[in-house]
Amino acid sequence: MTTKILVTGVAGFIGSHIAAALLARGDRVLGVDNLSPYYSPALKHARLARLAAHRGFAFEEVDVTDEALVEAVPASWRDVERVVHAAAQPGVRHSLAHPVGTARVNLLGQVVIEEAIHRHLPKVRGLVYASTSSVYGRDTASPFSPHAPALRPVSAYAASKRGAELMAESYTGLYGLPHLGLRFFTVYGRWGRPDMAYFIFTHRILGGQPIKLFGGEATRRDFTHVDDIVAGVLSGIDRVDRLPDRHTILNLGNNRPERVIDLIRAIEGASGREAAIEVTDLPPGDVPATAADITPTTELLGFRPTTRLADGIADFVAWFREADAGRFLPA
């Protein structure tokens, strides 16, 4: 028996991969997105074109911050049984220049979706929403535990996503709908976001242009391939209403922090080009290292990431060349 699942942010990097995996296993997906020009709309349309090839997919251009959704939702939403809220305004550095817009999408968007479900979608049995490792800030002990208080975010983006988690907590307490918040750690892979370092590095290395290494060789990230992220999300979708707590927050990370310089070396190896590296200080809002404690995620969701950084980057570089993905970067 198929399940109808609403996926917000379906034209985004992770949202489109989640939708593709749900369709591949036979679920019906109603995808919504506002096609924000934050980065290339052409890339978003290309992702949607891949999804449109599936009979079980339907798309609606919807902005999750549209307060009209609180009063009424489209008729097509009314038989939805699960919701995956992946729509967001990403970008730590973007949030420093655009804090109001970031807060509007990430906080108001959470409230609107919560209210739309509460008022109009009685068949929904669980909400899975995307959060971020950025909520841990600089003071959380490594590896970052999902039980850590996460009280000192260091960017507007991080604060807005932590606020969305607290909003989810309040709605769980008020109305009892099971919630699962998943904190993603530095996701990479095919059809990725052009504002991410691995995307920019690949473009510049292939073009013989220098790249900037923020924080030097000590900077580490828990790079996590999108296929592993999606496996965790799908497990969460299936189990959200059977978890011990009504509101659960878990990490989805690779559980193996690696130096950013090793990411660069992987791109060099996959591309056959040598990088010209300029070392510079970490910008405001960035943290020197991220590391995910996934022990609770493994226990509750059976989550076990398997993709090695070198393999995942080799696959990404191959896609980048095949898709001529440099065209998705700003001129």
Side-chain angles (χ1 to χ4, degrees), residues 71 76 79 96 103 112 119 143 159 161 172 177 185 189 206 230-231 258 264 283 288 291 298 316:
E71 302 302 327
S76 58
D79 57 345
L96 300 181
V112 168
R119 295 192 188 193
K161 295 297 280 185
T172 305
L177 179 71
F185 281 69
L206 288 173
V230 169
E258 300 186 71
I264 295 170
T298 301
F316 171 75

Side-chain angles (χ1 to χ4, degrees), residues 8-179:
T8 72
V10 75
F13 170 37
I14 299 173
S16 64
H17 278 278
I18 293 169
L22 290 170
L23 291 164
R25 73 177 195 177
D27 290 316
R28 292 181 295 150
V29 173
L30 173 59
V32 302
D33 202 291
N34 70 344
L35 302 176
S36 161
Y38 167 64
Y39 62 79
S40 170
L43 175 56
K44 297 181 180 183
H45 282 290
R47 292 173 182 149
L48 288 175
R50 295 176 63 239
L51 297 174
H54 294 266
R55 292 176 56 190
F57 179 69
F59 173 72
E60 296 175 2
E61 189 169 346
V62 173
D63 189 331
V64 297
T65 67
D66 182 357
E67 295 178 51
L69 294 171
V70 173
E71 302 302 327
V73 298
S76 58
W77 291 30
R78 295 192 180 275
D79 57 345
V80 165
E81 299 171 64
R82 295 278 198 278
V83 176
V84 180
H85 180 43
Q89 174 54 63
V92 167
R93 294 168 204 164
H94 177 85
S95 76
L96 300 181
H98 305 279
V100 174
T102 297
R104 184 174 189 277
V105 175
N106 296 343
L107 283 171
L108 180 58
Q110 185 80 30
V111 177
V112 168
I113 289 299
E114 296 279 6
E115 276 295 301
I117 294 170
H118 165 60
R119 295 192 188 193
H120 308 295
L121 305 180
K123 293 185 178 181
V124 171
R125 300 196 302 274
L127 170 62
V128 177
Y129 66 93
S131 190
T132 173
S133 63
S134 295
V135 301
Y136 291 110
R138 289 181 176 163
D139 296 337
T140 303
S142 182
F144 301 159
S145 168
H147 304 301
L151 296 177
R152 300 187 66 183
V154 295
S155 69
Y157 170 68
S160 70
K161 295 297 280 185
R162 182 66 180 123
E165 292 181 346
L166 295 174
M167 196 63 69
E169 175 67 21
S170 71
Y171 270 83
T172 305
L174 285 167
Y175 306 116
L177 179 71
H179 282 61

Side-chain angles (χ1 to χ4, degrees), residues 240-260:
V240 59
D241 56 345
R242 295 184 281 114
L243 295 173
D245 298 321
R246 301 298 281 179
H247 182 209
T248 304
I249 295 178
L250 298 171
N251 292 328
L252 288 187
N254 196 38
N255 196 34
R256 187 168 54 196
E258 300 186 71
R259 300 182 305 165
V260 176

Side-chain angles (χ1 to χ4, degrees), residues 248-320:
T248 304
I249 295 178
L250 298 171
N251 292 328
L252 288 187
N254 196 38
N255 196 34
R256 187 168 54 196
E258 300 186 71
R259 300 182 305 165
V260 176
I261 189 65
D262 293 326
L263 167 73
I264 295 170
R265 299 304 180 214
I267 297 171
E268 289 179 323
S271 65
R273 306 285 180 87
E274 186 174 345
I277 302 172
E278 300 173 358
V279 177
T280 186
D281 294 336
L282 278 175
D286 270 15
V287 297
T290 62
D293 176 0
I294 63 169
T295 303
T297 322
T298 301
E299 293 173 353
L300 293 173
L301 302 185
F303 176 69
R304 292 178 176 83
T306 60
T307 309
R308 295 173 57 251
L309 180 63
D311 296 334
I313 286 297
D315 181 69
F316 171 75
V317 172
W319 169 81
F320 192 97

